Amino acid sequence: ANITQSDFDFDGYGNACDGDLNNDDFVNSLDLGIFKQLFMQNGGPADFNDDGIVNVLDLGIFKQMFFKPPGPAATPPDF
């Protein structure tokens, strides 16, 4: 766990490694639809680099997470 990293949806995964925007434990086209809705919005769960806006930089990060489970090691977080 990285306590300095944003975890907007409080699921135990920091935004930087959590492309699972609908919390179904897999990053797929459903999450892409949510990402599109949040594009150019201020902050939130799709602000993967925590710079305050969802933009093309976040899209690049999201692309690397596509078709993978959330989290750095693809294992459930410890609560």
Side-chain angles (χ1 to χ4, degrees):
N2 182 346
I3 60 172
T4 63
Q5 189 179 117
S6 295
D7 179 11
F8 192 86
D9 58 4
F10 303 106
D11 63 356
Y13 300 117
N15 285 9
C17 58
D18 186 9
D20 182 20
L21 300 175
N22 67 348
N23 290 319
D24 66 355
D25 293 326
F26 201 69
V27 182
N28 55 27
S29 59
L30 299 174
D31 302 296
L32 179 59
I34 295 169
F35 183 88
K36 287 171 61 176
Q37 291 175 345
L38 298 173
F39 196 72
M40 297 310 294
Q41 301 294 315
N42 292 330
D47 183 12
F48 303 122
N49 64 354
D50 206 21
D51 67 353
I53 190 165
V54 179
N55 58 23
V56 295
L57 300 175
D58 301 296
L59 179 59
I61 296 168
F62 182 73
K63 182 180 172 183
Q64 295 174 347
M65 294 185 275
F66 209 70
F67 290 129
K68 298 177 185 173
T75 57
D78 295 327
F79 289 101

